[in-house]
Amino acid sequence: MASAYGEMERKWQKRWSDRGLNLSDRDESKPKFMLIFAYPGVTGYLHVGHMRGFSYVDAIGRYKRMTGYNVMFPVGTHATGNGSISLAEKIRRRDPGTIDYLLRNGCPEEKVADLTEPMDVVRFFNDVYVNEYWKRFGFLADWRRFTCTLFPDYARFIQWQFRKLHDRGLLIQKPYFAPACPSCGPVAVDASETDISKGGSAETQEYTLLKFRHGDEFLVAATLRPETVYGQVCFWVNPDVEYVRVRVGGETWVVSPQAAEKLSHQKEGVETVGTVPGRELIGWMCTAPMIHRDIPVFPARFCDPDVGTGLVTSVPSDAPDDWISLEALKSDTAMAEEYGLSRELIDSVVPIPIIDMEGYGRFPAKDIIDRMGITAPGDPKLVEAKKQVYKDGYHMGRMNAVCGEYAGLKVDIAKDRMKQAMLDAGEADVFYDLTEEVVCRCGKRVFIRRIDDQWFINYADKDLTERTAEHCRTMGIMPSEYYNNVQGVLSWFRERACVRLGNWLGTEFPFDGKWIIEAISDSTLYPIYYCISLYANDGRIRPEQMTESFFDHVILGKGDRSAVSEETGIPEDLLGRIADDIRYWYPLDLNLGGKEHMTVHFPAFLKNHVAILPQEMWPRGIMVNWYVTGKKNKATGKGDKISKSKGGAQPIPGAADTYGVDALRLYYAHVASPFADVEWDEDNVLSYRQRLDRIQAFVGELDAFAEDTEPTGIDRWLVSRFNGHIKTIREAMDRFDLRMMASTAYFEMFNDLKWYTRRGGRCRSALREAYRRWFMAMMPVTPHTAEELWETEGFEGLASESLLAEYDPELDCPEAEYGEDLIRYVMSDAAQIVKVTGIAPKRIILYTAPAWKRKVVSNAADLLGQGKLDIPGLTKACMADPELRSRGKAVSDLCRKVAGDHMRSTEENVRPIAETDEFALLSSAAGFIGDDLSTKVEVLDSDSEGLYDPAGKSKAAVPGRPAILIE
RNA sequence: GCGGGGGUAGCCGAGUCGGCCAAAGGCGCGGGACUUAAGAUCCCGUACUUAGUGUUCCGUGGGUUCGAAUCCCUCCCUCCGCACCA
């Protein structure tokens, strides 16, 4: 059964490929549409969640194709970085987890042994992505244009891009502090832990180093709260730590050995010149920065030599650790004696309140300690206490009167100013550290290292930002929340380090070969390269021919063609052809990417286009898609990664075999708005599979009893409905609203056909018209199924190659649609009465409204046509009619009701209510309605002579709402 | 903290420039048809109430309005981003 889908799918994929439907070549006679999904990083196997966005792109491309566009849908992969290096490395040393992972995902065992070189890994996965994912899903992508960021020709393009950025003055150099491994160079510290083996959640923190003078040397403390210096009363040293003396810029600093090593990566000429036991420092007096008071050095074991400098300035008023440690020291006479500290000295140290904030007293640290019930140093709750009091102080606090010129300032402002003042005075320095231990893949500890000549792309450039922001207002950006938000993102986007050192795969930086262009910076302008990759891939141009003047010429239209041809050896007509291609295909009409791209890729993508290309080549559209997540974790309430145990992690080809790719594609398109995460749920996928199966089976059943009859009312209804659906679908797809489109094609249209058959419809020609529209409507999302149906029903050619029917106002038949609505309405009402009363009906009588009531509704429609329906107006109009006037109050009552009901309706909607011959309609449907309700139905005209009306129901009859008597 | 998104019936999810909204659609569930039976499929129903009605209702509490899921304010809860990670 599994392979049945696969066989059918491959059959159609071959047909499409044989017809070259996926190929995109310039055709000036057609409008073009170019779209991509942001190419995925080559990080290993993908899971079913990744196919969501990819499938959207194929569906949109297919829709565009069937509405007359020449579509280019190219694909590629992003392999820059060290992912494949570390994967190859793990395979080389036969890491069991990695091997198991490969085999589990269907990597042939004999292949595993070959994947020991990074580029082999990249090539392997490029092949997997293209063949096992994208082709398997039936994408009509132009495979000839495939490119990868590690291809030599791609590198030439990236180098050109950087030359242009340089020309525009957007490349700048300045010092930078980055996590780096001493032997592997810079590493990425993030949750994915691509580069590292430990510490993915670590953050880089900026500390202020405070220098406390003691004689001709300095005790150096690191703090995150430089604004609290006015509250310093003593200084903590861990008596058990052997500190070191280091020479830094002509000064001698005392810090922990770990800190000395970290400093050596961030400062020039850091040299260890001796050691000093912490115990020895205790009892010293040192001069605090900013306040220039002498404060004593006390022992405290909470000083971790691996955090900051291992030395801590003590601000008991605002630091819970400091408060509790000082309390402990004051009450511990044994400790004082051990370190030879006099009672007077200890007692002389008194906390100084420095920050006022709501919800706290003079000493916030004490308050939080009391509140949390902390009684001794070393309590694990101190971590939380510290966080809370820091946070509150930073956002709500104000410096009080003791803080000199900073008194009255808000803490967040005072912090920057005081830090700057101390830096200017040489009393402080800056220092970067990671919040937790980070270990490189190679096993070495990662430190923050200063890089002096780091290159940045200056995305903060004001002119660039403004022009980009302005352009974004003209773009189609979805969802609309992002359309608005992108403005903020663009101005928030700052200089970005664009090159890195170390063992990385990527393009060599054109201005200094020691640098490799990093992963984000080489994936911003690339869509335009798909216009060129075609010619690089088929060998017509070689990488070395892709010079600066080549790109300048074909992309920017610069230079003399014959001169460029001369220089590059590329024939003039080929240069012309490439230039024409670019002019034809660009700009990019749609770039679709996951939500992770909103703050990084998309702004960079936009700004690079604006910076380098002329305005007419700037992108036209962006669409963001959300994720398919694993089942919600009950404990955390969060969606976990799709995991193997839940089924979602099964390899993509496996899922395709099980459900068929069309079921998956339909699932992605319909299960939720693209702008919301969905939980992966196999039952959902299965229900879409069943729906497709049902649709196919249903078409077969219809064929069995279709007849060559003349079209009747119900046929007009079907044609009208499907014509309307085409309109809905076209409008939806013009907004890329796949969900609305799928809702219409797989639910509405299907339900209509079911209703059609229930009502006795069986006209072959009407069905054929409906089919043509229906199968085309299914083509973008479930192309294989659509083709299958298309062929079965004997339509010409391929559905994927055909044009979608136009919406034709001539085919609209509001009367027919209203008539069916009325029948359904009557059935539902009658059924409800039966249910409510609980009587088993022997007979149901429907009374249609008398002619005079129709006249009232007709008058209402007239008034709506004139755009002014209201109760007095309608009453007046009706009273002008002598026949109506003669009915007096009954008419005015009805006018009130009718006007009230339809005041906000339209003439087109109300007109059929007045004009439908309810008696004829319901009489013809009486048998059908009766069958449905398992009883006999009679229709009586309220106007008829000698009307049978024992319950007096007929007077309740109103146009659009026949009275019902159940006996 | 800053910035952004949300809280709708058993569940998922439409709807949000105020009114035909008791609130689409799907799933689930209940009933019926079909069937030897199960499954699938097809109909109908699925807040409470009721001869087709009425009542309550769209996180909480207020407000504006003839009228609010939709507008304003309070509060609670929740998710996402805050960077060199694509």
Side-chain angles (χ1 to χ4, degrees):
Chain A
M1 179 195 103
S3 63
Y5 296 127
E7 216 171 282
M8 184 272 272
E9 287 155 3
R10 271 181 278 275
K11 173 181 77 185
W12 292 112
Q13 287 164 11
K14 181 165 186 312
R15 299 267 284 273
W16 299 330
S17 173
D18 290 346
R19 294 283 303 143
L21 296 188
N22 61 310
L23 306 182
S24 43
D25 290 304
R26 178 157 44 89
D27 175 355
E28 307 280 357
S29 71
K30 280 184 176 178
K32 65 88 190 181
F33 194 88
M34 180 177 177
L35 80 173
I36 60 162
F37 50 77
Y39 50 21
V42 180
T43 52
Y45 289 96
L46 303 180
H47 60 67
V48 287
H50 292 106
M51 296 306 295
R52 185 182 189 187
F54 302 161
S55 297
Y56 289 165
V57 173
D58 185 59
I60 292 167
R62 283 171 172 275
Y63 172 77
K64 285 289 170 189
R65 191 175 278 107
M66 78 177 181
T67 49
Y69 286 87
N70 187 20
V71 172
M72 192 212 282
F73 168 25
V75 294
T77 59
H78 184 268
T80 309
N82 70 349
S84 56
I85 297 177
S86 61
L87 190 52
E89 170 61 32
K90 278 191 278 189
I91 294 170
R92 197 178 314 130
R93 58 165 201 263
R94 303 290 300 176
D95 173 67
T98 307
I99 302 296
D100 178 53
Y101 162 80
L102 291 169
L103 296 177
R104 213 170 56 227
N105 278 281
C107 179
E109 199 146 4
E110 64 276 13
K111 187 79 199 160
V112 173
D114 296 339
L115 300 179
T116 53
E117 289 302 322
M119 274 312 290
D120 290 332
V121 170
V122 171
R123 272 189 288 269
F124 174 74
F125 280 110
N126 280 345
D127 185 63
V128 168
Y129 288 14
V130 168
N131 291 302
E132 294 182 28
Y133 302 161
W134 300 333
K135 284 190 180 170
R136 183 76 181 78
F137 266 62
F139 290 0
L140 292 185
D142 191 345
W143 315 109
R144 301 172 304 172
R145 297 177 186 270
F146 177 87
T147 197
C148 169
T149 58
L150 296 183
F151 285 178
D153 53 307
Y154 187 92
R156 303 290 289 188
F157 169 70
I158 295 303
Q159 291 185 331
W160 174 80
Q161 178 193 345
F162 273 75
R163 288 197 174 93
K164 295 306 110 178
L165 288 171
H166 193 61
D167 290 349
R168 311 277 188 277
L170 290 168
L171 291 183
I172 56 176
Q173 276 183 298
K174 63 177 188 178
Y176 180 62
F177 293 86
C181 165
S183 57
C184 303
V187 294
V189 176
D190 66 30
S192 73
E193 302 200 342
T194 310
D195 301 351
I196 56 181
S197 60
K198 185 182 169 203
S201 56
E203 288 173 39
T204 302
Q205 255 173 342
E206 185 193 285
Y207 287 89
T208 303
L209 294 181
L210 300 176
K211 302 197 276 190
F212 294 74
R213 178 177 287 280
H214 176 264
D216 56 1
E217 60 186 357
F218 295 94
L219 301 181
V220 178
T223 183
L224 293 168
R225 301 197 69 191
E227 75 279 12
T228 61
V229 289
Y230 277 92
Q232 299 176 105
V233 293
C234 59
F235 194 90
W236 300 118
V237 163
N238 190 328
D240 301 331
V241 169
E242 182 85 359
Y243 290 89
V244 296
R245 288 193 164 91
V246 291
R247 294 289 294 170
V248 179
E251 297 174 347
T252 304
W253 293 4
V254 175
V255 296
S256 72
Q258 290 92 326
E261 164 147 35
K262 292 172 188 170
L263 276 171
S264 71
H265 294 107
Q266 295 178 26
K267 296 200 161 295
E268 294 300 323
V270 175
E271 184 193 353
T272 302
V273 293
T275 63
V276 52
R279 178 172 295 270
E280 204 170 281
L281 305 176
I282 291 163
W284 283 13
M285 296 299 285
C286 56
T287 311
M290 179 71 83
I291 55 175
H292 306 123
R293 273 200 301 270
D294 285 350
I295 58 173
V297 177
F298 288 159
R301 293 210 157 73
F302 76 84
C303 297
D304 182 342
D306 208 16
V307 174
T309 56
L311 297 168
V312 178
T313 181
S314 174
V315 185
S317 58
D318 287 85
D321 274 310
D322 295 354
W323 180 278
I324 201 93
S325 299
L326 184 58
E327 292 274 282
L329 179 63
K330 287 193 175 199
S331 60
D332 187 346
T333 46
M335 194 194 228
E337 263 172 47
E338 182 188 347
Y339 295 105
L341 297 169
S342 74
R343 182 54 34 200
E344 292 82 7
L345 181 64
I346 291 174
D347 287 346
S348 75
V349 172
V350 181
I352 303 169
I354 49 167
I355 293 174
D356 297 328
M357 60 173 141
E358 209 176 305
Y360 290 90
R362 296 172 67 219
F363 300 114
K366 179 178 190 312
D367 294 340
I368 194 93
I369 283 169
D370 291 347
R371 238 176 269 167
M372 297 181 70
I374 297 166
T375 54
D379 189 317
K381 290 201 290 283
L382 279 164
V383 176
E384 183 52 37
K386 180 161 81 176
K387 244 168 88 177
Q388 190 61 45
V389 79
Y390 275 27
K391 198 170 123 180
D392 290 345
Y394 183 74
H395 297 291
M396 307 177 348
R398 250 173 219 290
M399 310 312 297
N400 74 9
V402 309
C403 300
E405 60 180 292
Y406 306 99
L409 287 180
K410 291 185 65 176
V411 168
D412 54 347
I413 294 169
K415 180 183 191 138
D416 288 340
R417 293 214 197 150
M418 290 164 83
K419 179 177 85 181
Q420 198 53 49
M422 290 188 285
L423 288 173
D424 292 345
E427 296 180 329
D429 213 321
V430 286
F431 168 66
Y432 295 85
D433 200 3
L434 290 156
T435 51
E436 60 184 89
E437 187 182 46
V438 176
V439 178
C440 179
R441 285 247 172 255
C442 75
K444 291 218 171 73
R445 176 82 182 261
V446 169
F447 296 107
I448 300 297
R449 186 162 96 193
R450 190 183 66 173
I451 300 165
D452 283 318
D453 53 352
Q454 173 72 46
W455 288 90
F456 291 79
I457 298 175
N458 187 15
Y459 289 119
D461 183 84
K462 203 159 167 276
D463 178 58
L464 175 62
T465 302
E466 276 171 14
R467 288 194 300 147
T468 309
E470 190 55 41
H471 175 67
C472 282
R473 293 202 181 86
T474 72
M475 290 177 65
I477 297 179
M478 284 161 300
S480 56
E481 288 79 9
Y482 186 55
Y483 174 89
N484 295 324
N485 201 220
V486 76
Q487 297 288 330
V489 173
L490 288 169
S491 54
W492 161 87
F493 210 65
R494 294 200 288 274
E495 301 92 351
R496 193 172 185 96
C498 60
V499 293
R500 55 198 325 165
L501 302 165
N503 188 22
W504 296 81
L505 297 180
T507 297
E508 197 176 273
F509 188 58
F511 303 106
D512 182 349
K514 78 175 178 188
W515 298 101
I516 303 289
I517 292 166
E518 63 81 46
I520 290 166
S521 305
D522 72 354
S523 54
T524 58
L525 193 68
Y526 73 92
I528 200 171
Y529 186 68
Y530 287 123
C531 298
I532 300 171
S533 59
L534 175 66
Y535 304 99
N537 288 343
D538 71 11
R540 270 183 277 182
I541 42 177
R542 296 184 310 279
E544 60 272 20
Q545 293 176 300
M546 300 164 95
T547 61
E548 182 171 6
S549 48
F550 164 74
F551 287 112
D552 277 350
H553 181 72
V554 297
I555 295 177
L556 301 177
K558 283 192 191 165
D560 176 64
R561 185 160 296 166
S562 60
V564 175
S565 174
E566 180 76 19
E567 180 201 315
T568 61
I570 301 170
E572 276 189 50
D573 61 340
L574 184 54
L575 287 172
R577 178 168 176 177
I578 296 170
D580 288 346
D581 281 1
I582 290 172
R583 220 73 61 229
Y584 174 74
W585 289 112
Y586 237 56
L588 183 69
D589 294 285
L590 183 66
N591 183 356
L592 181 142
K595 63 179 181 180
E596 74 276 19
H597 293 306
M598 289 195 287
T599 52
V600 182
H601 168 68
F602 286 138
F605 156 75
L606 290 164
K607 285 190 170 181
N608 273 278
H609 275 80
V610 170
I612 295 171
L613 300 180
Q615 185 160 3
E616 62 273 16
M617 293 169 113
W618 296 352
R620 296 301 327 144
I622 285 178
M623 178 161 164
V624 184
N625 73 278
W626 266 239
Y627 300 149
V628 177
T629 64
K631 289 257 192 212
K632 286 232 173 65
N633 181 318
K634 287 233 172 65
T636 64
K638 291 183 185 177
D640 295 336
K641 283 187 179 170
I642 290 181
S643 65
K644 187 179 162 229
S645 60
K646 309 283 171 31
Q650 69 172 298
I652 291 169
D657 284 343
T658 307
Y659 305 108
V661 298
D662 281 351
L664 287 162
R665 293 173 59 121
L666 177 57
Y667 163 79
Y668 297 127
H670 187 262
V671 72
S673 147
F675 317 126
D677 286 337
V678 273
E679 249 179 68
W680 173 255
D681 183 344
E682 299 208 31
D683 290 345
N684 269 337
V685 183
L686 254 176
S687 93
Y688 285 107
R689 176 69 260 166
Q690 285 168 359
R691 180 157 289 265
L692 287 177
D693 291 343
R694 213 184 304 162
I695 285 173
Q696 284 182 281
F698 181 72
V699 170
E701 290 161 23
L702 277 183
D703 291 340
F705 68 75
E707 294 167 4
D708 294 315
T709 54
E710 283 302 304
T712 62
I714 196 63
D715 298 303
R716 276 194 298 282
W717 174 83
L718 183 68
V719 170
S720 176
R721 289 284 296 176
F722 272 46
N723 187 48
H725 292 318
I726 290 297
K727 184 171 183 225
T728 304
I729 285 170
R730 282 181 172 269
E731 286 170 357
M733 284 306 287
D734 288 340
R735 303 187 302 268
F736 307 133
D737 186 347
L738 282 164
R739 190 162 192 245
M740 169 60 81
M741 186 265 216
S743 233
T744 305
Y746 301 90
F747 294 89
E748 300 277 323
M749 293 173 99
F750 185 30
N751 285 339
D752 280 353
L753 273 169
K754 285 193 287 196
W755 177 257
Y756 172 77
T757 58
R758 278 181 75 195
R759 294 281 286 116
R762 57 195 51 215
C763 168
R764 204 184 302 278
S765 63
L767 275 174
R768 200 172 161 78
E769 278 306 291
Y771 282 164
R772 197 164 59 83
R773 289 176 171 78
W774 194 23
F775 302 158
M776 286 304 294
M778 289 191 259
M779 194 280 283
V781 173
T782 57
H784 310 88
T785 306
E787 292 289 4
E788 201 68 21
L789 291 166
W790 187 263
E791 182 185 56
T792 308
E793 293 304 317
F795 289 103
E796 283 281 303
L798 291 165
S800 302
E801 210 174 352
S802 308
L803 288 177
L804 178 63
E806 297 283 344
Y807 163 70
D808 179 359
E810 292 292 305
L811 296 178
D812 272 341
C813 184
E815 305 76 35
E817 296 207 21
Y818 171 74
E820 295 306 306
D821 286 347
L822 180 68
I823 289 165
R824 272 194 256 223
Y825 182 59
V826 167
M827 287 165 69
S828 159
D829 262 5
Q832 173 150 19
I833 298 167
V834 169
K835 183 189 157 207
V836 162
T837 56
I839 53 181
K842 290 194 241 341
R843 177 164 78 142
I844 294 178
I845 297 173
L846 305 176
Y847 298 96
T848 58
W852 71 267
K853 291 188 180 176
R854 293 219 303 252
K855 212 181 274 179
V856 172
V857 177
S858 179
N859 285 341
D862 290 345
L863 289 173
L864 276 172
Q866 296 157 28
K868 51 171 184 193
L869 174 62
D870 55 26
I871 295 169
L874 181 59
T875 312
K876 207 173 142 197
C878 290
M879 289 309 175
D881 181 317
E883 196 237 317
L884 285 177
R885 177 196 282 274
S886 70
R887 294 181 183 272
K889 189 166 184 309
V891 171
S892 66
D893 283 351
L894 185 63
C895 285
R896 191 171 315 120
K897 182 171 162 41
V898 169
D901 282 354
H902 301 298
M903 227 173 312
R904 276 170 192 80
S905 188
T906 59
E907 187 187 0
E908 302 91 83
N909 287 335
V910 174
R911 185 69 64 192
I913 302 176
E915 300 198 341
T916 297
D917 181 347
E918 292 184 359
F919 182 76
L921 176 77
L922 292 174
S923 297
S924 75
F928 167 68
I929 299 172
D931 287 349
D932 195 70
L933 297 168
S934 309
T935 185
K936 199 168 62 174
V937 170
E938 283 173 40
V939 184
L940 301 179
D941 183 346
S942 298
D943 280 335
S944 58
E945 297 276 326
L947 183 69
Y948 171 79
D949 187 12
K953 290 284 176 192
S954 70
K955 57 181 187 299
V958 170
R961 191 144 198 234
I964 300 169
L965 173 66
I966 297 191
E967 294 186 322

